[in-house]
Amino acid sequence: MSPSAAATRPLDPPKDLPDSTAGIYHYDQVDRQFLRERVEQFRRQVDRRLSGELTEDEFKPLRLMNGLYLQLHAYMLRIAVPYGVLTSRQLSQLAHIARVYDKGFGHFTTRQNLQLNWIKLVDVPAILDLLAAVDLHAIQTSGNCIRNVTSDQFAGVADDEVVDPRHYAEVLRQWSTLHPEFTFLPRKFKIAITGSATDRAAVCIHDVGLLVKRDADGRVGFEVYVGGGLGRTPFIGKKLRDFLPEDELIAYLEAVLRVYNAYGRRDNIYKARIKILVHELGIDTFRQEVEAEYARMSPETYRLDAAIIDGIRARFASQPYEALPPVSGALGRARLEDHTFNRWVRTNVAAHRQPGYAIATITLKPAGGIPGDASADQMDAIATLADRYSFGELRVTHEQNLVLAHVRQDDLHALWKELSKIGFGEANSGLITDIIACPGLDYCALANARSIPLAQRISERFADLDRQHDIGELKIKISGCINACGHHHVGHIGILGVDKKGVEAYQLTLGGTAATEGAIGDILGPAMSADEALDAIEGVVGVYLERRQDGERFLDTLTRIGHTPFKDKVYAAH
């Protein structure tokens, strides 16, 4: 569907659904017909594979275009959550699918998707039918195409936001879906977009990162970054344009993708991402190529008309906020009377632009839990809480958590008590146990080492909340192999699983960050066993606590004293 088509459709979201007030783009019959046709197409392809008419090699590109991987033990289905926004109805459907067709769990990923790890091929068409019934799908969540566009989980509600990025994320979703020129790129292509100066979408580590902003005259435009990415050759994205006017967004991205399509390597999978092309050409030469391509394009053909943006914006429901005082007396009293709740508010609640409301982060990281996992029962319970407290809307974060974005301050205490009942009331957002971890060797055919058990052991070691809050902001990220799905390169403490002469081992990095401007962590030293890695993290934290000065976060202390004291501590016994 093209953006111009969207602008010509009825603008009112459906009013007969329980999630009609969720701030999400609402499909119409054209979208739903497209999904039904796509499901039927894939159903026939699955039938041909099951009958033996298609070999696995012939079937592989077809299943990948529908988000279906073949992992160590079973098929894995990756379901798209566009820019991380879900309705309660959609989450309930995901819970139902997990309960009936998987082992009762769903895994939220760093690209704001949901993965089901125990899928049977014969069941996939039925699952896609159920997804389509609630306007979900798995299209372009794998393969060498433009993947799910990700965004700030606080989009549209953050008090520091300059422009709501969801509308542009939806433009990009429509533009990139089944784009004939960009369906078979040299490699996968990931776009992230944020509308705040505080980068909560990790735009610096994406193939293209977009920061929506206004110029001195109030015009909306984009700061454009290109060539970021992790994997075996990590790079922080480089600035391509300081200010790209709103109406030039699609044309300019077309030019970027055309240059990548023309010059990106296809002979070596490890050198095929756009980050390698940008690095080898240099940002100045790459920019010249893009600008030359852009100059050859017809401005009118690709111009993003303001009417298209307005049409898309109108298909997002507005929340019926109440007129409330900016500060809740009930919240203040609850914080004074309940220390544990007060601690949760400090870490898991953010300011909302609407007076009297707040943004609540639900960390899917209970002590000893699997990062990003939720059971079907927990997903159902959270869907109910979203209906009760947040207009039936949820957000998925790239840090593998969930967000209720529209909670009355008066209701925060009640919400937290309900979350605690289902094991998700932990006050640890941004703390040492709020770990990002890939599935690792427990599921992934590419992994060298297990990520999940190590994450669970770290979570158990640092479970004491008093200690976590004393340590403060410290982000651990774990990848089971150099593909870096757990973002270890940009962890304050990064952990990489490696194969050391046939034995699982772990290599630590320090000083990475995916926040504004970004940084790749430095390797601390030789790889070690899981037991040694656990003790090494203890040692790193100990050095930080011993050497920090007033108000310093972990990264501040590391920057001031350098890596040597940490390395000396970790490798003292070696």
Side-chain angles (χ1 to χ4, degrees), residues 66 70 79 107 126 168 186 198 234 278 291 300 340 346 356 384 428 485 492 516 539:
N66 290 278
L70 185 55
I79 298 160
H107 178 74
Y168 302 99
T198 302
V278 172
E291 296 293 344
E300 285 308 309
T340 308
R346 287 209 310 266
T384 299
N428 63 345
C485 294
H492 298 172
T516 306

Side-chain angles (χ1 to χ4, degrees), residues 454-524:
L454 182 57
Q456 291 175 294
R457 293 181 67 188
I458 296 169
S459 175
E460 290 166 348
R461 173 75 71 95
F462 291 92
D464 184 330
L465 279 174
D466 288 335
R467 189 181 182 202
Q468 288 192 58
H469 281 250
D470 179 42
I471 295 168
E473 183 188 71
L474 205 171
K475 301 191 176 187
I476 293 179
K477 304 183 180 185
I478 309 174
S479 302
C481 75
I482 197 60
N483 290 300
C485 294
H487 293 187
H488 70 278
H489 292 299
V490 289
H492 298 172
I493 299 176
I495 304 174
L496 167 64
V498 299
D499 182 332
K500 195 173 182 179
K501 298 180 180 178
V503 177
E504 293 174 57
Y506 300 89
Q507 187 178 66
L508 268 56
T509 56
L510 296 185
T513 177
T516 306
E517 296 185 354
I520 303 298
D522 295 318
I523 296 172
L524 193 62

Side-chain angles (χ1 to χ4, degrees), residues 52 167-168 236 387 389 427-428 451 539 545:
H167 311 134
Y168 302 99
I236 297 298
D387 282 335
Y389 296 115
N428 63 345
S451 304
L545 294 177

Side-chain angles (χ1 to χ4, degrees), residues 217-369:
D217 297 323
R219 297 182 308 159
V220 173
F222 305 87
E223 198 169 301
V224 183
Y225 292 83
V226 67
L230 300 178
R232 67 183 58 231
T233 313
F235 287 108
I236 297 298
K238 299 172 179 62
K239 187 181 287 189
L240 193 59
R241 273 282 192 106
D242 186 62
F243 189 83
L244 178 71
E246 178 187 70
D247 62 351
E248 299 180 36
L249 175 64
I250 296 302
Y252 200 73
L253 291 189
E254 286 262 353
V256 171
L257 266 295
R258 287 184 183 184
V259 170
Y260 173 48
N261 220 4
Y263 297 112
R265 291 182 61 171
R266 297 174 188 270
D267 62 325
N268 185 334
I269 190 173
Y270 303 118
K271 297 184 181 295
R273 295 289 293 270
I274 194 173
K275 62 185 178 182
I276 302 297
L277 179 64
V278 172
H279 175 69
E280 293 185 346
L281 289 180
I283 186 62
D284 291 337
T285 301
F286 182 84
R287 183 184 293 113
Q288 289 171 10
E289 293 288 345
V290 171
E291 296 293 344
E293 179 64 29
Y294 185 55
R296 286 192 286 269
M297 297 169 63
S298 164
E300 285 308 309
T301 299
Y302 294 96
R303 190 167 68 88
L304 181 58
D305 196 287
I308 294 173
I309 300 295
D310 291 342
I312 287 176
R313 185 179 291 116
R315 294 187 68 81
F316 283 81
S318 298
Q319 291 71 43
Y321 294 119
E322 298 175 48
L324 297 172
V327 179
S328 163
L331 173 61
R333 288 189 295 275
R335 295 186 68 173
L336 285 174
E337 294 167 0
D338 190 332
H339 169 68
T340 308
F341 168 65
N342 184 49
R343 196 159 47 187
W344 181 77
V345 172
R346 287 209 310 266
T347 54
N348 290 50
V349 174
H352 198 291
R353 69 180 183 185
Q354 180 69 21
Y357 284 80
I359 306 167
T361 295
I362 305 169
T363 44
L364 307 183
K365 321 284 175 59

Side-chain angles (χ1 to χ4, degrees), residues 91 362-366 373-386 402 404 415-426:
L91 185 61
I362 305 169
T363 44
L364 307 183
K365 321 284 175 59
D373 266 23
S375 71
D377 290 346
Q378 287 170 321
M379 285 192 277
D380 274 336
I382 293 171
T384 299
L385 294 177
L402 296 177
L404 297 183
L415 168 65
W416 171 73
K417 288 194 284 189
E418 293 293 331
L419 289 172
S420 298
K421 290 178 184 175
I422 61 171
F424 287 150
E426 201 83 350

Side-chain angles (χ1 to χ4, degrees), residues 164-176:
D164 188 342
R166 289 174 301 169
H167 311 134
Y168 302 99
E170 176 59 28
V171 168
L172 296 174
R173 186 191 70 81
Q174 295 188 21
W175 161 72
S176 62

